[in-house]
Amino acid sequence: MEDLNRTAPKLPIPGKRNILITSALPYVNNVPHLGNIIGCVLSADVFARYCRLRGYNAIYICGTDEYGTATETKAMEENSTPKQICDKYYAIHREVYKWFNISFDEFGRTSSPQQTEICQAIFKKLLENNWLSENSMQQLYCDTCERFLADRLVEGNCPTEGCNYDSARGDQCENCGKLLNPTELINPRCKQCKNTPRIRDTNHLFLELPLLKDKLVHYIESTSVAGGWSQNAIQTTNAWLKEGLKPRCITRDLKWGVPVPLEEFKDKVFYVWFDAPIGYVSITSCYTPDWEKWWKNPENVELYQFMGKDNVPFHTVMFPSTLLGTGENWTLMKTISVTEYLNYEAGKFSKSKGVGVFGNDAKDTNIPVEVWRYYLLTNRPEVSDTLFTWSDLQAKSNNELLNNLGNFINRVLSFLAKPPGSGYGSVIPDAPGAGSHPLTNKLAEEVGKYVEQYLEAMEKVKLKQGLKTAMSISSEGNAYLQESQFWRLYKEDQPSCSIVIKTSLGLVYLLACLLEPFMPSFSVEVFKQLNMPPEQASLCDEKGDMDKAKRPWEILPAGHKIGTPEPLFKELKIEEVEDYRKKFAGSQADRLEREEVEKASKLAEELKKKATVGGKKQQAKKPAGEAKSRGTVEPEISITRLDIRVGLIKKAQKHPDADSLYVEEIDLGEGDCRTVVSGLVKYIPLEEMQNRKVCILCNLKPANMRGIKSEAMVLAASSSDHTKVELVDPPQSAVVGERVTFPGFEGEPDDVLNPKKKVWETLQVDLQTNSDLVACYKDIPLTTSAGVCKVATISNGSIR
């Protein structure tokens, strides 16, 4: 993360290469997955580290993109405010990037006062220069919430023929994938209050991209060549220009965002596409009050921007147009580095669906961070989509890191560390005559070529090629050791052995420098084993070149004593990989359910152990004076006597003769549905009762409720003050009709509970939700084959 020990922010230095690096601001409504990480922050980090090692004056700026509809929607889902959501996920992002060793100079936020100030200043310049227009649009308006509804704040039936999905969003149907406008939805409803919105006109401001086209095209034509834009960036940009630029709306009817500083638009904020790229500037202003020396200094500053392909038009068309429209001397992007998609196993990474390995997942494995960084960078999707697979991760970790790189370094250092008589006692020997040693000269020539290729690739931001080239030097080193047979030379020709070892130690240092941008923690460890400060890592000498690579025997001084050699990598076993593949299969929701099943199983085992004393199960004591009926003993009142099952509400409607009651038809896997009457009208909207899995108490005696026989009871939790009621939800993948169990308790349910024995009434007092929202009997969770049953928000509530 940021350098916490910095004394002063860096500013451009005349006569030096001043490089301003940004990566696309990750959106703050979720945890970043590995595709997000390689697509922007990790790639930019590699280039920033490379620039610093080359002696360039470089800063790396990033932060979280916090405004917009997605944040408001997430806040509604988590029953919190947008600010609370941003605070929560900013901390998560920051922690993930810290673990990945991302070396930002500043990692900020777009919800800062600086963002508002700079964004509004740019807007006023555009307004002053007549690049903005006003126009009317039709949008859905909710009279209940008294607000216009953004795309994601509307749900309804998908209009696509054959789909009719009843929870399609205003921007896209998740069922069939079709992109939508909110006004196209059938039976639209406000996501917050569930009422039907109406279409209403609303005025918005537009950036007149067609009027800025000449300025934009001149910039693109000159810079895309000079800056070596990646081919995918050029293709995407040209497609936008060919289609024809259109005025682009820059305002939205939201509350969470940068306010528009005009009286007639005081209830609107700037569209996130307009304000988010300005975040690069505002975050730099948080880094230094002299931010204009970076952002309004195109003669002395080069701007490099990193992102995934879906972000390209915002950076090559819209953001440059915005800055050009101000008429000020902005530092415009010189080079853009774009990645395609990293896919996961058989599908795609997805934040919304929780599919793939996420940053916090990687952190929770036993796989070191340098292995994650290495694998992602070897798999960087620079030209086409690439695929993450666990077997490939294992192969590259074992074959390339352990057997190639780690093996070379450990062989050299371990041999040097052997005591005199079998090694050098950890002291680097002198190597006179190395320049005339044939095998060493051949190696030096090859290494020199590889370093030149590495520098060329890195300057062009061909990061994957740079990494591959650096690793080739390790392969050359292994071949050099093998061909020299240094272990024999030590006994037969010690001067030649000293040349081989000193030269190989130079390669170890060189590899630590070349690979530092890719695996910084690896580099730190190598320097530790060399007994050298990691600050000595450099990819240039005082002249700014890398000539020393052509004479590797001169890199480290004779007489220097190294530290203690240790293995740098460990084998990644197939059993571990299979465990991770299973652990991270499916969506995050699936994983949580699996974890809950495992927890319930462990709890059941513990309870069974507690119930066994001296190898014999404890026998329940019969209550004194227990009544007998027809010669049989009344069973003790145990939770197993309740027949609670997973049901699916097929249809729910209001009771024709009772305003407070619903009548539900519930599928319990019995063939015919059961009719259930519930007093939930006051607490749960009718639409939330439809097509929903619930927990059903099935063996209550049927009761007539205002003329309709109720054949079971829906379990719900109520708050302590009884003002709030929520259904107890089984996992979505639970099987309809399966019995809900209580780990540690065994027994068959009664066919029908005898009302006179008060079985339900006795057990109900111990049915409640815990602080984790899990439905429990005492401390035992209501458990299905797919996980435990929960409620949405009511903790420590009573279940009835």
Side-chain angles (χ1 to χ4, degrees), residues 396-602:
K396 285 182 174 171
S397 176
N398 291 344
N399 298 336
E400 298 173 19
L401 292 180
L402 178 64
N403 297 338
N404 176 6
L405 179 64
N407 178 61
F408 170 67
I409 294 174
N410 194 251
R411 283 180 80 186
V412 175
L413 298 185
S414 296
F415 188 78
L416 185 76
K418 287 180 179 181
S422 54
Y424 293 88
S426 298
V427 178
I428 298 177
D430 199 2
S436 58
H437 188 261
L439 185 62
T440 300
N441 267 333
K442 180 186 172 187
L443 170 76
E445 188 178 335
E446 288 299 313
V447 169
K449 289 177 184 176
Y450 278 129
V451 170
E452 287 175 4
Q453 293 168 15
Y454 170 91
L455 295 175
E456 182 182 1
M458 296 299 285
E459 290 293 333
K460 292 179 179 178
V461 202
K462 305 291 185 186
L463 306 183
K464 187 156 62 170
Q465 184 60 41
L467 177 54
K468 181 180 178 183
T469 304
M471 291 295 288
S472 297
I473 293 175
S474 176
S475 300
E476 290 289 338
N478 273 314
Y480 174 65
L481 289 179
Q482 207 61 27
E483 192 172 348
S484 72
Q485 296 190 14
F486 64 94
W487 58 93
R488 289 182 58 187
L489 289 177
Y490 186 81
K491 297 175 182 177
E492 301 170 5
D493 184 358
Q494 279 217 7
S496 292
C497 184
S498 295
I499 290 172
V500 171
I501 292 301
K502 194 167 190 288
T503 300
S504 298
L505 284 162
L507 294 191
V508 170
Y509 170 90
L510 187 61
L511 284 165
C513 295
L514 294 172
L515 292 171
E516 194 277 343
F518 303 94
M519 296 184 289
S521 56
F522 154 82
S523 180
V524 168
E525 179 58 29
V526 173
F527 273 96
K528 176 186 170 187
Q529 294 186 29
L530 286 173
N531 192 25
M532 298 175 70
E535 294 77 25
Q536 284 194 15
S538 174
L539 289 175
C540 63
D541 57 22
E542 59 276 1
K543 297 177 184 176
D545 59 33
M546 282 285 288
D547 278 352
K548 62 185 176 184
K550 297 173 183 175
R551 298 182 304 281
W553 56 87
E554 294 182 0
I555 292 177
L556 296 180
H560 174 78
K561 188 172 184 177
I562 67 165
T564 305
E566 292 178 5
L568 291 160
F569 303 99
K570 66 175 185 177
E571 183 183 4
L572 185 55
K573 294 187 170 18
I574 192 166
E575 297 83 9
E576 291 179 81
V577 169
E578 286 305 314
D579 285 345
Y580 290 136
R581 181 184 282 114
K582 291 173 186 173
K583 181 177 181 179
F584 298 118
S587 69
Q588 288 181 313
D590 295 335
R591 295 173 205 166
L592 284 173
E593 288 178 8
R594 286 200 300 270
E595 287 173 12
E596 287 165 354
V597 170
E598 288 170 11
K599 286 178 186 175
S601 298
K602 287 179 182 177

Side-chain angles (χ1 to χ4, degrees), residues 22 189 201 247 260 263 268 304 341 350-351 449 502 558 592 615 620 657 730 732 750 767 771 794:
T22 72
R189 59 186 178 274
D201 288 340
V260 179
E263 180 61 30
K268 300 182 193 294
Y304 282 72
Y341 293 133
S350 171
K351 278 199 298 186
K449 289 177 184 176
K502 194 167 190 288
L592 284 173
D657 298 318
Q732 275 303 304
D750 293 8
L767 284 167
S771 58
I794 298 174

